[in-house]
Amino acid sequence: MFGIFKSDPTKKLKKEHGILLEKAMHAQRNGDIRGYAMLTAETESVWQRIEQIESNNK
């Protein structure tokens, strides 16, 4: 009954994931390959946390 008042725990992480992907894209376009690699690795760790939370909710 009160499930509609629960916030989605992955919503904040998905927003952070999108922001990091955009930053990585800009770094790649500017030729900052090291920055792109670091941002991509961070994006992957955020995505793994999202998948872990979603698998625990099932």
Side-chain angles (χ1 to χ4, degrees):
M1 179 174 156
F2 293 106
I4 60 172
F5 297 115
K6 279 186 157 181
S7 63
D8 185 16
T10 61
K11 186 175 181 181
K12 183 178 178 184
L13 288 173
K14 286 181 181 179
K15 184 175 182 179
E16 181 183 349
H17 181 260
I19 291 170
L20 286 171
L21 279 175
E22 187 173 346
K23 286 182 180 180
M25 177 195 63
H26 288 296
Q28 185 181 28
R29 285 186 178 174
N30 291 331
D32 184 12
I33 302 302
R34 185 171 291 144
Y36 169 73
M38 290 173 48
L39 287 167
T40 303
E42 191 174 344
T43 302
E44 286 295 320
S45 68
V46 170
W47 187 254
Q48 288 175 354
R49 283 190 280 164
I50 291 170
E51 287 181 337
Q52 183 182 23
I53 290 171
E54 287 178 346
S55 68
N56 288 339
N57 287 340
K58 288 184 179 181

